[in-house]
Amino acid sequence: MCSVSRERAEGGRVIVEVDDKVAKVRNIKVDSSWDSREKTVSFSFDYCYWSVDPEDPKYASQEMVFQDLGTSVLSGAFRGYNICLFAYGQTGSGKTYTMMGTPASIGLTPRICEVVFLFLHLHLFKNFLEIYNERVRDLLKQSDRKKPYTLRVREHPETGPYVQGLTQHLVTDYKQVVKLLEEGIAKRITAATHIHNASSRSHAIFTIHYTQAILENNLPSEIASKINLVDLAGSERADPSYCKDRITEGANINKSLVTLGIVISTLAQNSQMFSSCQSISSIPSEGESGGVDGPPSGGSGGRRPAYIPYRDSILTWLLKDSLGGNSKTIMIATISPASSSYNETMSTLRYAANAKNIINKPRVNEDANVKLIRELREEIDRLKAMLMSFELVCSNISLLELLLVM
Ligand SMILES: Nc1ncnc2c1ncn2[C@@H]1O[C@H](COP(=O)(O)OP(=O)(O)OP(=O)(O)O)[C@@H](O)[C@H]1O
Ligand SMILES: [Mg+2]
C-alpha cells in the first residue's frame, strides 16, 4: 500500500508505480547503461494499492481496502479460523491510517468490528494492549500515569502465549466497540519525531474473541476464534539529536521489528524446505506436520528446520500463533512513494515478499467433543465400508469354491 503526505510537501520524486498486483520501485541512482544493478525492481503481491492522490482514478480508498482485506478477515473468522492482520512499514507511511483511520476516513479495525456485529449479533470479548519498550500495557484499564503497571506474558501449553491479567471487555454493540477503541487509541503512546508528528511509539494489538453456536450433524457445537488486528510502530533510524527516551524507544521498536524480520524469514525458509520435502516424499496427514514451527515429517533427509526465535521479543512471542501456526495471517506493507524513502521502501517490500512464503496451518477451532464425535462417526463409516467389501470378497470366494466343487 502506497501513501503520501509528508513527501508531497517535501517535493520528492515519485519512484513507485503500482500496476495491478505488482509494485515497481525505481532506483534513481542507476542511470547509466553500464551499471549492472536493476533499474526497476518488481514485487508481486495478492493486492497492491495506490493511495497517493484522491483525484487519481487508481486511488484506493479505505472502503476498497476493506472490501478486499476486511471481508477476507471476516469470512475466515466466520468459518472459525483465528485471523491476524498486521500493518508493517516505515514511520509515517500509513499503518495507523489503514488500521484505525481517522474520523473522516474510517480504517479497517472499526469497519471489521461493525460487520461482526451487523451479521453475528454476538456478545464479544475484546482486549487492547500496547507493547512499549518491551513491556505490555493494557490500553483499556485505568492506571496511575505516574506508575504505569506492566503485564506479564505467559504461555499456555495448548492455547499458546497470553497476557496475564489483561482486561477482557464484554461488548454487545458497535457503539461500545468504538468507545473502547477511542479510549485505547487515546492512551496509546505517540510522540513527534522528525518524520511524523503523531508517530505511534508502541505496537498495538486489538483482539476480538468470539464464539459462535452452530449445529453440526444435528449436534450443538461451538466455534471459538479470535481476530488480532495489529498496528506496529514505525521503523526509523535513531536520530542522535533525540532525547534519551526517544532513543531507548527507537532501540526497542527496532528490536521487535528486527526479531519480527528474523522470525518471518526463518519461517519462510522452513516453509520452503517443508514444501520441497513434501514434493519428494509422502504428504503428511492433517496435524502430523506440526505446522511450519515443527519438524517437517516424512523423510526430510536429515535437514532440520531452523529454530524460530519467537521469544526474543514480546511482539513475536505474543504473535507466535499468528505468525507460524494456527492462524490465517494477512500482512499489509505500507510504503512511501518518494525517492528519499528508497532504502526503507525496498526493505519493507523485501520483508513482505519473504512473509508471502510462510505457510501457516490454520484450522477451525471447533468444540473438542463434537470434533471427537465427528471423527468417531467417520471411523465407523470407514469400518462399515471395509466390512462390506470384506463380506463381498468372502461371498465371491464361497461362490468360487462352490463352482470348483461342482
Ligand atoms: N492513504 C492515505 N491517505 C490519506 N492520508 C494518509 C494516508 N496514509 C497516511 N495518511 C496520513 O499520513 C500521516 C501518517 O500516517 P500514519 O499515522 O498512519 O503513519 P504510521 O505508518 O502509523 O506512522 P508511525 O509508524 O510513525 O506511527 C497521517 O496524518 C495520516 O492521516
Ligand atoms: Mg502509527
Side-chain angles (χ1 to χ4, degrees), residues 229-268:
L229 301 165
V230 188
D231 176 20
L232 297 175
S235 49
E236 55 155 353
R237 278 174 236 104
D239 185 329
S241 63
Y242 281 165
C243 64
K244 190 170 150 277
D245 281 0
R246 212 74 325 123
I247 291 175
T248 313
E249 266 173 21
N252 280 316
I253 290 170
N254 284 335
K255 180 182 171 188
S256 296
L257 298 177
V258 166
T259 311
L260 180 65
I262 296 170
V263 166
I264 287 176
S265 60
T266 319
L267 282 167

Side-chain angles (χ1 to χ4, degrees), residues 106-176:
I106 298 168
L108 280 169
T109 304
R111 284 173 193 262
I112 288 171
C113 292
E114 189 176 11
V115 178
V116 167
F117 277 109
L118 207 65
F119 285 95
L120 291 182
H121 310 285
L122 289 174
H123 287 202
L124 307 168
F125 284 99
K126 290 186 184 286
N127 52 52
F128 199 7
L129 63 87
E130 72 174 344
I131 304 167
Y132 178 69
N133 280 346
E134 284 301 284
R135 294 204 174 114
V136 179
R137 292 155 42 118
D138 194 334
L139 286 173
L140 298 180
K141 185 165 180 168
Q142 291 300 336
S143 68
D144 179 358
R145 290 299 282 176
K146 282 187 210 136
K147 209 178 127 206
Y149 71 100
T150 52
L151 299 170
R152 289 187 64 183
V153 180
R154 294 180 162 266
E155 188 153 0
H156 187 277
E158 275 155 35
T159 50
Y162 68 99
V163 177
Q164 192 178 33
L166 186 67
T167 55
Q168 299 278 355
H169 296 257
L170 177 69
V171 279
T172 48
D173 66 41
Y174 177 60
K175 273 191 200 149
Q176 289 177 343

Side-chain angles (χ1 to χ4, degrees), residues 9 20 41 57 71 83 135 146 150 163 168 171 182 184 224 239 275 290 295 317 327 345 387 393:
D20 192 23
V41 183
T71 49
I83 309 284
R135 294 204 174 114
K146 282 187 210 136
T150 52
V163 177
Q168 299 278 355
V171 279
E182 282 171 354
D239 185 329
S275 56
W317 190 14
S327 175
T345 298
L387 195 66
V393 170

Side-chain angles (χ1 to χ4, degrees), residues 38-214:
E38 287 290 331
K39 194 169 171 61
T40 304
V41 183
S42 299
F43 297 85
S44 59
F45 297 107
D46 295 326
Y47 299 99
C48 285
Y49 302 101
W50 182 257
S51 56
V52 175
D53 179 5
E55 303 301 319
D56 192 321
K58 275 199 299 190
Y59 182 79
S61 62
Q62 297 270 41
E63 175 60 25
M64 268 173 82
V65 175
F66 171 75
Q67 284 305 331
D68 293 334
L69 308 184
T71 49
S72 83
V73 166
L74 289 160
S75 71
F78 293 167
R79 281 183 287 143
Y81 291 103
N82 289 341
I83 309 284
C84 177
L85 181 83
F86 71 97
Y88 174 90
Q90 179 188 4
T91 184
S93 56
K95 297 178 293 295
T96 304
Y97 179 83
T98 310
M99 294 305 292
M100 305 295 175
T102 60
S105 181
I106 298 168
L108 280 169
T109 304
R111 284 173 193 262
I112 288 171
C113 292
E114 189 176 11
V115 178
V116 167
F117 277 109
L118 207 65
F119 285 95
L120 291 182
H121 310 285
L122 289 174
H123 287 202
L124 307 168
F125 284 99
K126 290 186 184 286
N127 52 52
F128 199 7
L129 63 87
E130 72 174 344
I131 304 167
Y132 178 69
N133 280 346
E134 284 301 284
R135 294 204 174 114
V136 179
R137 292 155 42 118
D138 194 334
L139 286 173
L140 298 180
K141 185 165 180 168
Q142 291 300 336
S143 68
D144 179 358
R145 290 299 282 176
K146 282 187 210 136
K147 209 178 127 206
Y149 71 100
T150 52
L151 299 170
R152 289 187 64 183
V153 180
R154 294 180 162 266
E155 188 153 0
H156 187 277
E158 275 155 35
T159 50
Y162 68 99
V163 177
Q164 192 178 33
L166 186 67
T167 55
Q168 299 278 355
H169 296 257
L170 177 69
V171 279
T172 48
D173 66 41
Y174 177 60
K175 273 191 200 149
Q176 289 177 343
V177 183
V178 173
K179 197 170 154 280
L180 287 178
L181 209 52
E182 282 171 354
E183 204 180 301
I185 291 171
K187 282 213 193 94
R188 194 176 166 195
I189 293 172
T190 55
T193 63
H194 67 296
I195 288 184
H196 181 196
N197 61 8
S199 179
S200 322
R201 310 308 294 155
S202 65
H203 309 295
I205 308 181
F206 185 75
T207 310
I208 308 170
H209 296 265
Y210 62 95
T211 28
Q212 283 180 79
I214 56 161

Side-chain angles (χ1 to χ4, degrees), residues 81 274 278 283-291 297 326 360-364 366 371 374-375:
Y81 291 103
F274 174 61
Q278 270 196 334
I283 297 172
S285 60
E286 262 288 288
E288 198 185 311
S289 71
S297 51
N326 176 23
N360 270 9
K361 284 256 161 194
R363 56 180 183 269
V364 173
E366 62 184 331
K371 184 170 177 250
R374 181 174 51 77
E375 283 168 359

